[in-house]
Amino acid sequence: MKHIWLLPLVVAAGMGLSVEAGLLGPLGEEVGHGWAVLGIFALGSLLLTFGLIFGRPRLALMFAQPRWLLTGGILGPIYVAALTLATPVVGVGLTMVGILFGQVAASLVIDHFGWLGSAKRAVDGHRVGALIAILLALWLIH
């Protein structure tokens, strides 16, 4: 596995998502869920804009790509809204394990069929076992 150095990065990113869920729940309760989502995306957009101003602009290149690649921008706010709504009700742990189950299930399908430009990676018993283990964790944490 030549890219093993990426594993700590993705684990840290996952930890960051749990922290984000923990922050968004109370923020949504205080200011309203829609305002919390907007606030998070406004701050993220501000930081990205700052980075783009000092980086080499590639906006024309982005819009030259197939339009379906840009639909990922729709999924981010849906994800953040789900975190904002679910976390105060079911807690950070259950929210994150539920999201993890959904991510892994969708990822296995995408990899198996090679959708979205991904290389085909067959779903085997180990991968299905991992998904079942996450489902068991979801049931146990509930």
Side-chain angles (χ1 to χ4, degrees):
M1 202 166 170
K2 64 182 180 179
H3 299 294
I4 196 148
W5 64 271
L6 287 172
L7 291 179
L9 176 66
V10 297
V11 168
M15 293 171 139
L17 289 176
S18 293
V19 171
E20 182 180 30
L23 296 170
L24 280 170
L27 182 62
E29 294 284 300
E30 291 295 321
V31 301
H33 300 295
W35 285 108
V37 173
L38 179 64
I40 292 299
F41 275 94
L43 180 58
S45 295
L46 183 65
L47 290 172
L48 284 173
T49 301
F50 180 77
L52 289 173
I53 288 171
F54 292 102
R56 206 170 99 192
R58 304 191 85 159
L59 196 58
L61 181 60
M62 183 176 73
F63 286 109
Q65 302 304 308
R67 297 290 182 248
W68 66 269
L69 288 175
L70 300 177
T71 60
I74 298 167
L75 300 174
I78 293 170
Y79 170 77
V80 173
L83 287 180
T84 305
L85 292 168
T87 303
V89 178
V90 299
V92 175
L94 185 60
T95 300
M96 289 290 98
V97 175
I99 284 178
L100 178 63
F101 178 78
Q103 287 175 328
V104 172
S107 298
L108 291 179
V109 172
I110 291 167
D111 279 351
H112 183 76
F113 293 105
W115 290 346
L116 306 176
S118 175
K120 284 188 176 186
R121 291 176 181 85
V123 174
D124 59 14
H126 291 112
R127 291 174 183 235
V128 172
L131 186 62
I132 291 169
I134 296 168
L135 184 60
L136 179 62
L138 185 62
W139 179 74
L140 288 172
I141 207 166
H142 186 271

